């Protein structure tokens, strides 16, 4: 189904600004005027992609994610979507760049409040589309080094998205994560399943329900549920915000999160 024509922007002081040698839309899949040869599948707010699937060469973005815990989960041993404990304010600035069509890289610095907690980089490839360009899939590799305690968290993910109609879309990620710093050997490998359902409610606003599940070989698990709103304020500036919770075998706590995005 053809998506509706994009309305005039609310405000655009940066119209025509570009980066590198590409012609990619400023927000890729988040932009209602994005390329029509791939399905537009938004990114989850917390466990986001390197770039939207089908990224075009030259797409460049900087953003900052913040996660605010409401309470604590005592004794939680499964890292959250940032690869950290999740029991204090966490935030992470990152840069993303598509260096060629369907290939992208990112670099991220997760912080625990004011302490640099980790170094993180990732690469992503889009394999292609199917079913009249309603389906798109790819893969992502993440390498993270946590500083305290010193440990490596490599992650391997298969990613698939489906554009159901002009309103609804779905993104899923499945894979594994290693954790060399886990105290128990049975928690050094974790299975990951991330599912997000999106609804485009206007040309500029999308709501989503994101779920991130991590299950260690020991059976310990962590589930994050995060309803969220994505709002494209200008052609090159977006904010995302949500509130939900994290649930583990040791207890549960509320969480609020936000992401501020600037594209070039």
């Amino acid at each position: 189904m053809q998506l509706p024509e994009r309305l005039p922007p609310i405000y655009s002081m940066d119209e025509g600004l570009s980066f590198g040698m590409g012609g990619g839309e400023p927000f890729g899949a988040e932009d209602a005027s994005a390329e029509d040869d791939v399905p537009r599948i938004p990114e989850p707010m917390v466990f986001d992609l390197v770039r939207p699937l089908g990224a075009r060469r030259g797409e460049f973005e900087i953003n900052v994610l913040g996660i605010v815990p409401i309470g604590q989960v005592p004794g939680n041993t499964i890292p959250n979507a940032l690869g950290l404990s999740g029991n204090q304010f966490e935030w992470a600035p990152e840069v993303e760049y598509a260096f060629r069509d369907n290939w992208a890289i990112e670099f991220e610095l997760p912080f625990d409040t004011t302490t640099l907690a980790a170094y993180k980089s990732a690469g992503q490839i889009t394999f292609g589309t199917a079913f009249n360009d309603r389906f798109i899939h790819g893969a992502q590799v993440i390498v993270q080094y946590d500083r305290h305690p010193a440990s490596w968290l490599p992650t391997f993910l298969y990613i698939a998205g489906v554009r159901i109609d002009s309103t609804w879309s779905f993104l899923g990620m499945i894979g594994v994560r290693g954790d060399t710093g886990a105290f128990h050997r049975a928690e050094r490998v974790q299975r990951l399943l991330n599912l997000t359902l999106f609804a485009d409610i206007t040309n500029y606003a999308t709501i989503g329900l994101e779920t991130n599940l991590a299950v260690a070989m020991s059976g310990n698990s962590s589930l994050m549920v995060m309803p969220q709103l994505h709002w494209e304020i200008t052609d090159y500036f977006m904010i995302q915000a949500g509130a939900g919770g994290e649930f583990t075998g040791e207890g549960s706590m509320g969480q609020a999160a936000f992401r501020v995005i600037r594209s070039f």
Side-chain angles (χ1 to χ4, degrees), residues 70-86:
I70 305 171
Q72 285 193 341
V73 178
N76 182 28
T77 58
I78 306 298
N80 63 9
L82 276 179
L84 305 178
S85 68

Side-chain angles (χ1 to χ4, degrees), residues 34 108 123 178 262:
E108 182 176 339
R262 177 67 164 88

Side-chain angles (χ1 to χ4, degrees), residues 27-40:
F27 287 110
E30 296 276 6
D31 196 299
S33 61
E35 292 83 7
D36 58 7
D37 58 342
V38 295
R40 296 193 307 109

Side-chain angles (χ1 to χ4, degrees), residues 3-251:
L3 294 175
E5 183 179 354
R6 179 179 172 82
L7 298 174
I10 298 172
Y11 174 72
S12 178
M13 63 181 292
D14 302 309
E15 186 174 358
L17 185 63
S18 63
F19 180 90
M21 299 179 62
E25 292 296 331
F27 287 110
E30 296 276 6
D31 196 299
S33 61
E35 292 83 7
D36 58 7
D37 58 342
V38 295
R40 296 193 307 109
I41 314 294
E43 299 179 73
M45 175 179 63
V46 179
F47 204 128
D48 73 328
L49 307 182
V50 176
R51 291 296 299 154
L53 292 174
R56 294 294 184 259
R57 181 183 181 187
E59 291 182 8
F60 178 72
E61 173 183 301
I62 59 175
N63 68 72
V64 178
L65 169 69
I67 302 178
V68 182
I70 305 171
Q72 285 193 341
V73 178
N76 182 28
T77 58
I78 306 298
N80 63 9
L82 276 179
L84 305 178
S85 68
N87 280 331
Q88 54 187 319
F89 173 62
E90 297 168 354
W91 61 284
E94 67 177 82
V95 296
E96 305 174 352
Y97 180 57
F99 59 92
R100 60 179 296 181
D101 287 357
N102 298 322
W103 292 80
I105 55 175
E106 77 171 22
F107 300 95
E108 182 176 339
L109 294 175
F111 282 79
D112 273 331
T113 313
T114 59
T115 302
L116 177 60
Y119 305 98
K120 183 177 179 181
S121 63
Q124 181 179 295
I125 180 174
T126 301
F127 297 141
T129 64
F131 306 113
N132 295 320
D133 290 336
R134 289 183 177 272
F135 174 84
I136 189 168
H137 66 146
Q140 185 179 138
V141 176
I142 304 170
V143 178
Q144 179 168 327
Y145 175 72
D146 281 359
R147 301 178 66 214
H148 306 293
S151 60
W152 291 93
L153 282 77
T155 302
F156 304 90
L157 294 165
Y158 171 74
I159 310 165
V162 177
R163 168 55 65 172
I164 301 169
D165 57 25
S166 61
T167 299
W168 298 94
S169 59
F170 174 83
L171 185 79
M173 293 184 274
I174 185 169
V176 294
R177 175 173 61 196
D179 185 357
T180 63
F183 182 76
H184 299 290
R185 185 179 299 272
E187 294 184 351
R188 292 181 183 175
V189 177
Q190 300 148 18
R191 294 158 290 178
L192 304 179
L193 178 64
N194 306 321
L195 305 174
T196 309
L197 180 66
F198 298 101
D200 299 324
I201 55 177
T202 74
N203 278 356
Y204 303 98
T206 297
I207 57 174
L209 178 62
E210 177 182 356
T211 62
N212 294 313
L213 174 66
V215 182
M217 302 305 291
S218 65
N220 286 343
S221 64
S222 173
L223 172 64
M224 187 209 72
V225 179
M226 183 65 66
Q228 57 202 247
L229 170 68
H230 302 186
W231 181 27
E232 183 183 345
I233 298 177
T234 77
D235 279 350
Y236 295 88
F237 183 68
M238 175 182 286
I239 59 172
Q240 302 172 348
E246 182 176 358
F247 308 90
T248 74
E250 290 78 22

